[in-house]
Amino acid sequence: MTFRAPEDLEKSPSLEQLVRWRRDVRRFKRDPVPQALIDRLLRLADLAPSVGNSQPWRIVSVNSPEKRAAIVQNFETARQRSAEVYSGDQADLYNRLKLAGFDAAPVQLAVFSDRGAMQGHSLGRQTMPETLDHSCACMVTVLWLAAREAGLGLGWVSILDPAAVTATLDVPANWKFVGYLLIGWPEEEHLDPELERHGWQPRTPFEARYSEVGLQGATPGQDTGSDGTAIQNGCVTLVGAGPGDPELLTLKALRALQSADAVLFDDLVAKPILDYVRPGAQMIDVGKRGYRKSCKQPDINAQMIALARQGLRVVRLKSGDPLVFGRAGEEIAACKDAGVPLSVIPGVTSAQGAAASLKVALTNRDHARRLQFITAHDRRGHLPADIDWSAVADRAVTTVIYMPKRTLAELTEIALTHGLDPKTPALAVANATRPDEQVFISTVGAIAATLGAAHPDGPVLVMIGEALRYATARDAADQAGVVLSALDVLPELT
């Protein structure tokens, strides 16, 4: 057996890295693996723990082309049979997935559990005979980690008929088939499993598999809410969908959508984003539509909690960032009061998406040293009574106004009476970052009339401030006439 040199030990991956790299590999290079390396890994795996020190694993190296071909045929038959249990999108995805790497893996091992093993004097097997098989799984795990440490990949094929494998390899009848292992140099490196990467089934929260015993009124696998009601290990995640462009979703948001059991989504969430939700998840429209019949917030809170108490992974999907005018505070409080595990995944808020789309800086060292977001309506749909008008009129601030359609004229009129220059640049953006995005370039004194005449559909926000002045003129060269008359400034030439 060979050992690493002292200088190489410093380069060894940590245990955590090995565990994270332990991925089921199905894409191998055809390069051979030195037999000495395989021998070393197998001897290392042979040190794995086993019940009663029974070491029940039996490993068969399958080298014969005829035997390998029979195993491949076994796999194809079992794969086709398994496909019959799926339907719709799940069936399509199953048929597209690469579920084995027989075509390239240079090393192929069949692992069996010897149910007749005498070693260990049957210690522990009188009460739990299945621990022999569990011991074999421990051995495979050690082999898996050892292979990753050596730079190899390992795939565990389970879509096989055990009886046919036993017959093909002509092993004793009391050997129970555990799994068929493929080993080789991986074609590519990934931290996430292929099944997760392609949307079959992402990892679920750790809390879904961890429980404590001893909580009064609860049973194992359950938590209790503040009212003492037992709840399953479900959870709620508030997810920001961004302003509309699906490519602005964060990786964390994407993973949450692909692992959700139920998604409660707002009316403003762009429809293409819903296509990223895991097939089979419950889709529940809880949109709060302005000035029309819509879901009430208490009802949404109750539905989230009820689904989580069924043990489901619930995603509350909101346009933009849930923490910016998204009523996240009410939903966070409701989950905490109910004792439901909750996490928040922020999103790109509409102001950021609109500004990026227009290439407009919201702050500027010379013109805007503050940035503020305000909402143009309160709980009743009226202009809020507590707006700080002196802050809105400040020439050194950029103000972004959310949900301004109904109250913009009143808002700008009051802002002007508090000293805001009517020629201050103003931009209105409808459906920011989406294919039907509309931009309206104007001034504070005219933006309400401009927006009212256009009457755009979809979510709208308005940005006002001196920081927008030259950027607006520069980025709207094709609308130079509008810019010159509205802003009274010449575009900068470069």
Side-chain angles (χ1 to χ4, degrees), residues 392 401 408-409 411-416 420-427 441-449 462-466 468 486-487:
V392 176
I401 309 165
L408 185 59
L411 185 151
T412 53
E413 181 181 351
I414 297 176
L416 294 177
L420 183 61
D421 187 342
K423 290 189 176 181
T424 301
L427 291 175
I441 302 171
S442 187
T443 63
V444 169
I447 188 64
V462 172
M463 299 182 284
I464 61 177
E466 289 298 323
L468 309 177
L487 304 183

Side-chain angles (χ1 to χ4, degrees), residues 207 278 296 453:
E207 291 76 15
R278 178 181 68 82
K296 302 298 183 183

Side-chain angles (χ1 to χ4, degrees), residues 22-27 75 79 86 90 93-100 144 156-159 188 190-203 255 258-259 278-279:
R22 186 221 55 74
R23 295 305 182 202
D24 205 14
V25 177
R26 297 178 175 85
R27 303 176 192 277
F75 167 80
R79 175 188 169 96
Y86 302 111
Q90 202 79 359
L93 180 56
Y94 176 86
N95 289 319
R96 293 198 306 270
L97 288 171
K98 183 177 177 65
L99 297 175
W144 217 324
W156 186 335
V157 183
S158 58
I159 305 177
E188 51 194 14
H190 293 282
L191 285 181
D192 54 337
E194 184 161 336
L195 292 180
E196 181 175 337
R197 196 160 57 252
H198 292 284
W200 181 262
Q201 175 60 67
R203 293 192 66 79
R255 291 191 185 103
Q258 293 181 346
S259 65
R278 178 181 68 82

Side-chain angles (χ1 to χ4, degrees), residues 303-457:
Q303 192 163 22
M304 284 192 312
I305 292 167
L307 291 168
R309 281 180 164 168
Q310 295 173 26
L312 303 182
R313 295 155 300 189
V314 181
V315 163
R316 176 71 176 96
L317 187 63
K318 297 169 174 287
S319 178
D321 184 338
L323 304 176
V324 178
F325 302 126
R327 301 193 186 183
E330 299 170 55
E331 295 173 349
I332 291 171
C335 288
K336 286 185 175 180
D337 290 344
V340 171
L342 173 114
S343 58
V344 181
I345 300 175
V348 175
T349 191
S350 300
Q352 296 170 307
S357 179
L358 296 172
K359 306 179 188 67
V360 170
L362 294 174
T363 59
N364 183 288
R365 287 188 295 176
D366 298 320
H367 301 295
R369 289 168 292 282
R370 285 196 302 114
L371 171 64
Q372 61 185 3
F373 296 165
I374 66 172
T375 177
H377 71 248
D378 58 17
R379 286 179 177 270
R380 301 169 299 161
H382 301 159
L383 187 69
D386 58 356
I387 292 177
D388 184 348
W389 295 107
S390 62
V392 176
D394 186 353
R395 289 178 58 87
V397 67
T398 299
T399 302
V400 181
I401 309 165
Y402 282 71
M403 298 163 283
K405 281 185 178 180
R406 295 284 291 265
T407 61
L408 185 59
E410 182 184 2
L411 185 151
T412 53
E413 181 181 351
I414 297 176
L416 294 177
T417 66
H418 282 78
L420 183 61
D421 187 342
K423 290 189 176 181
T424 301
L427 291 175
V429 184
N431 300 307
T433 77
R434 307 184 190 199
D436 56 348
E437 177 184 274
Q438 292 178 280
V439 180
F440 305 91
I441 302 171
S442 187
T443 63
V444 169
I447 188 64
T450 300
L451 201 59
H455 195 63
D457 291 327

